[in-house]
Amino acid sequence: MQKQYLFTPGPTPVPPQVLAALAEPVVHHRSPDFQPVYERTLSRLREVCRTERDVLLFAASGTGAFESAVANLVSPGEPHLVVSAGNFGERWAQMTRAYGAAVDHLRYAWGETPDPEDVRARLAEREAKAVWLVQSETSTGVVADVKALATVARAAGALVVVDAVSSLGAVPCETDAWGLDVVVSGSQKALMTPPGLGLAAVSEAARTATGSSPRFYFDWERTRTAQRKLDAPFTPSVSLVAGLDVALGLLLGEGLDAAFERHVRLGRACRAGIKALGLELFSPDEDRSAVVTAVRAPAGVASSEIIKACRDRFGITLADGQGDLKGKIFRIGHIGWFDVFDITTALAALELVLADLGAGLERGAAVTAALEAFEAQPVA
Ligand code: PLP
């Protein structure tokens, strides 16, 4: 028997209260057993998204919610601006192209941080119906300044669509206050629920700007009309919704601002520990990078080797790099149901693995550095 630790940036650990809700008997989705749960979940989602608008819920992974945005907003031949600096931004580009958009792709190298001035310049050259952004680029650990990016996009008259799959509930995402027209996310990250639910918060402007692409399951209007009557258009994942309801209750019980602060501290702790191990960060060494810490493998060692050793020896699952970064970096997620002892567990295991690989390390230094950084004041 080996205890398992899930330290990836999604799926993430699920609290026992949520697991207990998932184990409840299945109820019928059009019965009074489900409707109050559905209503509360939709209302809690609005709170977490910081929006007054409808948050549409789909039985799909985050990419399904992505696709709902593309299928509803894109018409073939229309100009759209996609901003990418990693795997998930590139997914926006692939998907908008697949729906026939005339895509202007502002493409940064993986690991860079999108600059609002570049977006302003691109939109001055070529108008776009919507600007497609990623808040937390999970493949690199970069969290973009979505507020600033949205401001320039709106000034140019474009709709703003944000992938908040790994950021919603971990870092601030002020849907209404920042004027974000569409925010999409999924259940398996900071929302502390298993994979399988996708959501999209949709503004009135986005709702009235829908395009001509064919769509059915992901048609926003169909889901919105039905949700308003608490009558899902298709069979919802009743058990996952019951789990999400409990998870959102836990998150809102902690308080969103307290959760954001916890994530900042977790990010600080992780980065401090990684540096104390003598490793080089790939993700930025800044408070905003509070979702996932990406770390370069030491010279001559493949990150997959470190990941395999952590899993085989200690039951600890870390994430490899994606795309060209596979084998070059590893990623430690610290989103959702995480505390500082999860970070120190990961660091302690890494220390043992690196020592085996011949690194000269001061034993215990990483854990100590992490605990000190976690406590450090203040958090802005
Ligand atoms: N966007 C981001 C930023 C992600 O981290 C992920 C998943 O890792 C996705 C989109 C895709 O979500 P899913 O795998 O749930 O379809």
Side-chain angles (χ1 to χ4, degrees):
M1 188 195 83
Q2 188 176 46
K3 187 165 176 179
Q4 299 294 317
Y5 302 86
L6 184 60
F7 295 153
T8 59
T12 62
V14 174
Q17 299 93 318
V18 178
L19 293 174
L22 292 166
E24 290 281 319
V26 172
V27 294
H28 193 271
H29 56 290
R30 298 194 207 286
S31 76
D33 297 323
F34 183 65
Q35 280 166 333
V37 177
Y38 195 30
E39 185 169 28
R40 192 168 52 235
T41 305
L42 295 173
S43 147
R44 285 176 166 169
L45 279 176
R46 284 195 292 277
E47 266 189 78
V48 171
C49 292
R50 295 231 160 115
T51 185
E52 299 291 322
R53 316 161 183 160
D54 292 289
V55 179
L56 310 178
L57 196 53
F58 301 101
S61 78
T63 306
F66 246 65
E67 183 139 5
S68 84
V70 177
N72 282 274
L73 285 179
V74 168
S75 299
E78 245 174 22
H80 286 267
L81 174 62
V82 172
V83 181
S84 82
N87 188 31
F88 297 103
E90 294 196 1
R91 187 169 296 178
W92 273 143
Q94 287 167 349
M95 209 188 268
T96 46
R97 280 200 184 106
Y99 276 76
V103 175
D104 185 13
H105 190 176
L106 173 53
R107 188 177 194 201
Y108 294 90
W110 289 34
E112 287 186 15
T113 304
D115 182 343
E117 285 314 312
D118 294 339
V119 175
R120 192 196 307 277
R122 284 298 263 262
L123 289 169
E125 276 170 27
R126 196 183 138 173
E127 64 168 16
K129 174 176 173 181
V131 176
W132 303 74
L133 303 169
V134 177
Q135 183 171 28
S136 161
E137 181 47 81
T138 322
S139 61
T140 66
V142 170
V143 175
D145 184 350
V146 160
K147 182 181 179 188
L149 293 165
T151 303
V152 297
R154 286 171 60 82
L159 295 167
V160 180
V161 186
V162 178
D163 167 357
V165 173
S166 63
S167 50
L168 186 71
V171 298
C173 182
E174 299 286 344
T175 303
D176 289 359
W178 297 351
L180 312 178
D181 290 290
V182 183
V183 170
V184 300
S185 193
S187 50
Q188 79 276 23
K189 313 266 182 178
L191 303 187
M192 305 181 290
T193 303
L197 292 175
L199 61 99
V202 180
S203 74
E204 197 53 28
R207 201 169 77 77
T208 51
T210 48
S212 61
S213 290
R215 53 188 184 266
F216 192 92
Y217 182 83
F218 286 124
D219 181 62
W220 282 343
E221 205 50 39
R222 185 174 273 112
T223 289
R224 178 176 169 273
T225 309
Q227 268 191 197
R228 289 201 155 191
K229 293 181 285 173
L230 295 180
D231 183 21
F234 315 105
T235 313
S237 305
V238 284
S239 302
L240 284 177
V241 174
L244 182 62
D245 176 36
V246 173
L248 296 176
L250 292 172
L251 179 59
L252 294 168
E254 176 183 19
L256 274 184
D257 291 329
F260 299 152
E261 176 174 332
R262 175 169 54 83
H263 283 86
V264 167
R265 291 180 185 281
L266 289 169
R268 285 180 181 176
C270 195
R271 294 191 298 278
I274 288 297
K275 288 186 283 182
L277 288 172
L279 294 173
E280 195 188 332
L281 290 168
F282 178 82
S283 47
D285 193 359
E286 59 185 23
D287 274 352
R288 211 167 54 210
S289 181
V291 173
V292 51
T293 298
V295 184
R296 288 184 196 278
V301 179
S303 59
S304 14
E305 220 181 306
I306 296 171
I307 293 164
K308 183 172 182 328
C310 283
R311 189 177 50 236
D312 291 351
R313 287 187 61 192
F314 308 116
I316 288 177
T317 306
L318 306 173
D320 206 332
Q322 297 182 310
D324 288 346
L325 293 174
K326 192 167 172 54
K328 297 187 180 136
I329 64 168
F330 62 88
R331 294 172 299 145
I332 306 173
H334 28 81
I335 19 178
W337 196 51
F338 254 80
D339 69 16
V340 71
F341 298 107
D342 296 312
I343 301 289
T344 57
T345 300
L347 292 168
L350 281 169
E351 186 177 294
L352 291 166
V353 166
L354 291 170
D356 275 1
L357 290 168
L361 293 165
E362 187 193 338
R363 287 300 170 93
V367 167
T368 305
L371 291 171
E372 282 172 4
F374 188 78
E375 296 301 329
Q377 299 293 338
V379 174

